[in-house]
Amino acid sequence: MAQIQWFPGHMHKTAKEIRENLSQVDVFVELLDARIPFSSDNPLLTEILGTKPSIRVMTRADLADPQRTVYWLEWFKKNNQAAVVAVSQKDREKIGVLVTQCRALFPDSKTPITVMVVGIPNVGKSTFINILAQRAIAKTGNEPAITKMQQRIQLDHSVALLDTPGVLWPNVENASSGFRLAATGAIRETAMSHADVALFLVRFLLADYPQLLTSRYEFGSGEAEPERLLEHIGRLRGCLKAGGKVDTDRVSRLLLNDFRSGSIGRITLEMPEMILVEQQEVEKLREEKAAKKAARKQGWKDRSRND
Ligand SMILES: Nc1nc2c(ncn2[C@@H]2O[C@H](COP(=O)(O)OP(=O)(O)OP(=O)(O)O)[C@@H](O)[C@H]2O)c(=O)[nH]1
Ligand SMILES: [Mg+2]
């Protein structure tokens, strides 16, 4: 499976700035996407934040499968992760409480505390800040890389918020994670093939949410195969090219938009057990790569000895 990679210059800059400003930040609020709790958990950010106090919040709970969200919350708890809660942009009160909790970590502080909001692109950082500020102070938008630089927002006399641009990581080793990040909208559209991402999504939905697919796109058993189903949706929705052939790019974009807006239903793309299997595969690939590299190196040594 081809890997999707997207790590533009401003992300390098953001990661560097977060590192440099670490001493000025009191608490981090790290946002995860409830539809991809693992793939939205950026190891680069985890490494940068180190042992600084942080609260982790799953956003877009309104789009995620509620049962799976409960499962993930339990899993995070069992695995001793920093406090994780699930919210949607409608949960204004719940989001407000989070800031009170941040502030409570520093009961003796005479100066305002600084809370930096971090996370992958498009996860809802600026929306989260606007909810707290009760006004549209940070620019938001339904695509990644809307926020391009840090922005400080003084919430009241006791808390200042820092909005940051989204950060991915330079090398998403788990190819499936790359596809899930693309499906949820964390990766710039130009960095991926819509058809590849749509086929990945259809394959997953056929396995995990067949009933949602059936009720949205009315199809029979003859179409229950990813390529044929995409073709069927294309015909159903009139995504056709001149000559009547299905426009694969158009139908792929339609499917991705349906998924992102929640029109197919509430869907969570990953579960802890599935990630465990994937991680083992990633580890295997990593070992194979290392063995190949070592063999190449040995080959060079042997050749130079014989020269
Ligand atoms: N359904 C739903 N949509 C949300 C939620 N939170 C944010 N959004 C939407 O997600 C999109 C991205 O939100 P932003 O706040 O711009 O995301 P961001 O993390 O600041 O994005 P970048 O600055 O580009 O990294 C917007 O269209 C929001 O309306 C949520 O809880 N539920
Ligand atoms: Mg933003």
Side-chain angles (χ1 to χ4, degrees):
M1 203 186 308
Q3 285 189 346
I4 299 174
Q5 306 260 313
W6 181 53
F7 196 72
H10 81 269
M11 287 191 198
H12 267 296
K13 189 168 151 251
T14 304
K16 194 165 159 254
E17 277 174 1
I18 298 176
R19 257 186 239 276
E20 284 167 1
N21 295 340
L22 218 52
S23 63
Q24 289 150 40
V25 179
D26 298 296
V27 194
F28 284 95
V29 170
E30 193 179 356
L31 300 191
L32 306 177
D33 186 322
R35 296 165 302 172
I36 48 168
F38 169 79
S39 297
S40 58
D41 184 354
N42 183 348
L44 175 64
L45 283 175
T46 310
E47 179 232 307
I48 296 176
L49 308 193
T51 53
K52 277 264 174 181
S54 63
I55 293 181
R56 305 169 96 208
V57 181
M58 290 204 273
T59 61
R60 292 213 175 93
D62 56 321
L63 296 175
D65 178 334
Q67 281 174 351
R68 290 190 168 192
T69 299
V70 171
Y71 193 93
W72 269 107
L73 287 171
E74 282 297 312
W75 185 88
F76 279 125
K77 211 159 134 191
K78 265 194 268 172
N79 287 276
N80 298 321
Q81 301 262 351
V84 182
V85 288
V87 299
S88 89
Q89 57 191 353
K90 296 192 189 87
D91 299 324
R92 293 175 174 271
E93 238 173 81
K94 219 167 155 186
I95 291 174
V97 170
L98 291 170
V99 170
T100 315
Q101 285 172 352
C102 289
R103 178 69 217 175
L105 293 173
F106 303 89
D108 303 326
S109 175
K110 300 276 183 289
T111 51
I113 64 156
T114 302
V115 179
M116 185 185 259
V117 181
V118 296
I120 60 164
N122 203 27
V123 71
K125 300 174 291 299
S126 303
T127 305
F128 183 87
I129 284 178
N130 287 343
I131 292 169
L132 289 169
Q134 297 182 21
R135 63 204 146 113
I137 191 157
K139 191 176 167 201
T140 64
N142 199 10
E143 57 180 283
I146 289 284
T147 306
K148 291 282 198 301
M149 51 198 283
Q150 281 190 16
Q151 185 184 356
R152 192 179 179 87
I153 292 130
Q154 195 68 40
L155 206 55
D156 54 31
H157 64 278
S158 65
V159 178
L161 298 171
L162 272 179
D163 190 11
T164 60
V167 179
L168 283 171
W169 51 108
N171 178 19
V172 182
E173 271 188 303
N174 181 336
S176 299
S177 272
F179 279 99
R180 290 191 288 261
L181 284 162
T184 50
I187 290 177
R188 174 70 43 88
E189 300 270 300
T190 48
M192 62 196 224
S193 144
H194 295 119
D196 286 349
V197 182
L199 277 174
F200 179 92
L201 185 61
V202 167
R203 204 166 290 126
F204 169 82
L205 295 176
L206 276 169
D208 276 41
Y209 294 96
Q211 68 294 354
L212 293 184
L213 270 186
T214 319
S215 51
R216 176 90 187 154
Y217 304 115
E218 311 130 30
F219 63 94
S221 53
E223 280 115 13
E225 192 259 317
E227 279 86 1
R228 296 189 69 169
L229 180 52
L230 206 57
E231 166 114 14
H232 162 79
I233 300 170
R235 297 207 177 280
L236 187 75
R237 294 293 152 88
C239 300
L240 302 174
K241 290 197 272 206
K245 276 190 97 177
V246 168
D247 185 333
T248 311
D249 187 66
R250 233 175 97 201
V251 65
S252 300
R253 277 188 284 127
L254 179 137
L255 181 90
L256 290 171
N257 284 335
D258 276 2
F259 164 69
R260 290 174 188 164
S261 65
S263 307
I264 303 176
R266 296 179 68 174
I267 292 162
T268 296
L269 295 180
E270 51 195 25
M271 291 296 272
E273 294 71 21
M274 161 186 161
I275 297 297
L276 221 66
V277 175
E278 286 180 6
Q279 288 301 86
Q280 281 162 0
E281 280 164 18
V282 168
E283 192 50 46
K284 215 172 109 199
L285 281 176
R286 203 182 287 153
E287 280 166 13
E288 280 171 13
K289 232 175 164 175
K292 263 192 203 154
K293 201 174 162 192
R296 255 200 324 266
K297 229 176 172 175
Q298 190 59 44
W300 288 332
K301 271 192 194 156
D302 292 348
R303 267 199 301 278
S304 61
R305 222 177 284 135
N306 295 336
D307 283 345

